[in-house]
Amino acid sequence: MSNKTTIRERATAAKAASIRLAAIKSEAKNAALTEIAKALTQRRSDIVAANQRDLAEAERNALAAPLLKRLKFDEAKLADVCAGIHSLIKLDDPVGRPLAATELDAGLELYKVSCPIGVIGVVFESRPDALVQISTLCLKSGNAVLLKGGSEAAHTNRILAETIAAAGEAAGLPSGWIALLETRQDVADMLELDDHIDLIVPRGSNEFVRHIMTHTNIPVLGHADGICHVYIDADADPEMAVAIAVDSKCQYVAVCNAAETLLVDAAIAETILPALQGALEAKGVRLRGCPQTRETIVCEPATDNDWATEYLDLVLSIKVVDGLDDAIDHINRYSSGHTDAIVTADKDKAERFMALVDSADVFWNCSTRFSDGFRYGLGAEVGISTNKIHARGPVGLEGLVIYKWKLYGKGQIAADYTGEDARKFTHKKLR
């Protein structure tokens, strides 16, 4: 059997499973999630051991420090993902919700009802916790899922997928609802299966995401880069501004919602830049600044490439701007459309910033790190989307459902609504 046939068979099984999953009641899905959390906890020593094996191999292969940090999956991480599963159980089922209802005529009623997308293929980075989050979100939303994680997490991903699949099937889920892909060729083969897979969610570098987008006919939901900004306005509270800048950059640097560029209003640059420098360098951040920044503090020079770079590391570029509109123009030129924040005491400025910055997430007086499905109460996230169709921003349960139209009649035929004596539609809103 060829590898390609194997992938097609897995996708075929996932498609069949997705049809059954779409009709599974909320209680059954929550029961399966409970069993999955229990099984993961019971196998924690095996899971941690597998992760230690991945970490050892990654260190031998000189994996970059940010990726090593993402790769680590210890008992604390396992406890976090299990807590996430229990939080997911408490959320309302997104499937089967009536979104709209219209009476077309007496006894002819049309309902717009949420339903699963079907089969979702997700290619994600080296974080094993992402595998748990993605698969359980897909289960709660009634979708089957094909998963491809980073090769550096192969052992961890394998045991996690096996555990989740076995626990789910023991709880009554259809076989094949989750499958793990392990090679680049698997991904290439998956991208050809537009007759079986309904959506691809790629998580990775700009180059990788664009490669996915140009090599498949399957709809793609995702983002290429996380070039996020914090703009400190002249009317910002200095202590708040420093705290938000430090948290946005340093709370966890190896993620797409960490700040990569700091914009500072020229009116306060001389007073706030030294405080920012002290707080950021105390966290080990290397600063790169525009010429005006370097007139006030000592740091490396920033180039045009820095404004368009996602560092995913303790590096931050700083640019002094001529007020709010200059900051907005810079962000709309260089931002990846992910998350951008303003720090100011002026509500009108904040509202202007949030109206004109063309990003999925726009914040006022808070860290960019809040751009996250779990923090939004979405039940973790399958990914972040900078698309402008279907779903945008952190994609949680709501982004994993679509809708169908259900029309309930009593023998009506279209011919009665045409011609000289045609019946009239009432188009009366029922909700």
Side-chain angles (χ1 to χ4, degrees):
M1 183 186 302
S2 70
N3 187 52
K4 193 166 211 172
T5 303
T6 300
I7 300 305
R8 177 169 286 278
E9 287 185 348
R10 292 180 187 177
T12 300
K15 189 71 173 179
S18 72
I19 295 169
R20 291 183 56 197
L21 276 175
I24 289 180
K25 300 297 184 185
S26 181
E27 295 79 7
K29 289 189 287 189
N30 287 338
L33 287 168
T34 299
E35 289 305 311
I36 288 169
K38 186 186 300 182
L40 289 171
T41 301
Q42 290 172 343
R43 297 202 67 186
R44 59 183 176 272
S45 59
D46 295 333
I47 293 168
V48 172
N51 186 247
Q52 288 295 321
R53 186 176 173 186
D54 283 328
L55 285 169
E57 291 180 6
E59 289 176 356
R60 284 195 298 271
N61 293 327
L63 190 70
L67 294 178
L68 270 176
K69 188 172 183 180
R70 289 184 176 196
L71 177 58
K72 185 177 181 180
F73 193 77
D74 54 14
E75 290 206 17
K77 282 270 191 177
L78 180 59
D80 286 344
V81 297
C82 288
I85 294 173
H86 289 297
S87 296
L88 183 60
I89 291 169
K90 295 175 184 177
L91 295 180
D92 291 338
D93 193 330
V95 177
R97 292 170 50 194
L99 306 176
T102 305
E103 178 195 84
L104 303 188
D105 194 3
L108 188 62
E109 296 181 351
L110 178 67
Y111 292 85
K112 182 181 182 181
V113 182
S114 63
C115 65
I117 292 172
V119 180
I120 299 177
V122 186
V123 187
F124 58 98
E125 68 284 16
S126 60
R127 289 169 47 199
D129 54 322
L131 185 148
V132 182
Q133 293 170 354
I134 293 165
S135 59
T136 54
L137 280 170
C138 286
L139 168 54
K140 180 82 175 189
S141 55
N143 294 287
V145 61
L146 302 177
L147 296 155
K148 169 62 175 71
S151 58
E152 63 275 14
H155 299 104
T156 315
N157 287 339
R158 196 173 298 135
I159 191 170
L160 289 173
E162 289 171 356
T163 303
I164 291 168
E169 290 177 25
L173 299 183
S175 175
W177 75 273
I178 177 175
L180 182 67
L181 313 183
E182 297 195 357
T183 69
R184 290 184 179 181
Q185 187 59 48
D186 288 349
V187 175
D189 294 344
M190 178 177 70
L191 297 181
E192 297 180 8
L193 300 178
D194 54 309
D195 54 341
H196 286 73
I197 299 171
D198 300 289
L199 183 69
I200 297 288
V201 182
R203 294 168 46 150
S205 68
N206 182 301
E207 180 182 5
F208 172 72
V209 173
R210 296 198 184 283
H211 171 84
I212 294 290
M213 290 176 173
T214 56
H215 286 80
T216 187
N217 292 322
I218 304 169
V220 177
L221 184 73
H223 75 285
D225 282 329
I227 302 173
C228 303
H229 299 76
V230 174
Y231 166 57
I232 300 177
D233 180 61
D235 293 314
D237 174 272
E239 286 189 16
M240 178 190 294
V242 171
I244 288 173
V246 170
D247 189 84
S248 295
K249 176 74 251 184
C250 305
Q251 198 271 331
Y252 191 2
V253 299
V255 285
C256 58
N257 60 11
E260 305 293 15
T261 297
L262 183 63
L263 303 177
V264 179
D265 193 320
I268 59 167
E270 289 188 6
T271 57
I272 201 167
L273 280 174
L276 287 164
Q277 180 183 30
L280 288 162
E281 289 184 346
K283 294 286 189 178
V285 179
R286 304 192 310 277
L287 303 178
R288 298 176 183 174
C290 69
Q292 198 168 346
T293 297
R294 297 175 69 228
E295 289 176 5
T296 303
I297 62 173
V298 177
C299 64
E300 301 172 28
T303 68
D304 284 344
N305 286 337
D306 284 301
W307 312 131
T309 298
E310 182 182 25
Y311 301 113
L312 296 174
D313 201 356
L314 289 170
V315 182
L316 181 70
S317 57
I318 304 177
K319 183 177 176 62
V320 175
V321 294
D322 294 324
L324 176 64
D325 287 341
D326 193 19
I328 292 170
D329 289 344
H330 179 95
I331 291 171
N332 284 337
R333 177 178 178 184
Y334 292 103
S335 172
S336 59
H338 191 299
T339 303
D340 299 290
I342 181 174
V343 186
T344 184
D346 189 319
K347 184 178 186 296
D348 290 338
K349 285 184 177 179
E351 293 293 354
R352 180 174 176 80
F353 178 93
M354 291 193 285
L356 294 180
V357 169
D358 188 22
S359 295
D361 306 90
V362 284
F363 295 171
W364 175 24
N365 287 348
C366 52
S367 169
T368 61
R369 287 284 289 122
F370 283 106
S371 175
D372 175 84
F374 176 74
R375 295 186 174 107
Y376 279 15
L378 305 179
E381 66 189 36
V382 69
I384 297 279
S385 171
T386 53
N387 293 11
K388 294 186 179 180
I389 56 172
H390 177 59
R392 195 180 190 196
V395 180
L397 287 175
E398 298 297 327
L400 293 176
V401 295
I402 189 64
Y403 56 82
K404 62 172 63 174
W405 298 95
K406 295 183 176 182
L407 184 59
Y408 296 80
K410 294 184 177 179
Q412 293 88 344
I413 58 174
D416 291 341
Y417 294 84
T418 59
E420 190 174 325
D421 298 320
R423 289 181 61 90
K424 302 296 184 183
F425 290 109
T426 60
H427 289 152
K428 175 183 175 183
K429 294 298 179 184
L430 300 177
R431 58 170 292 145

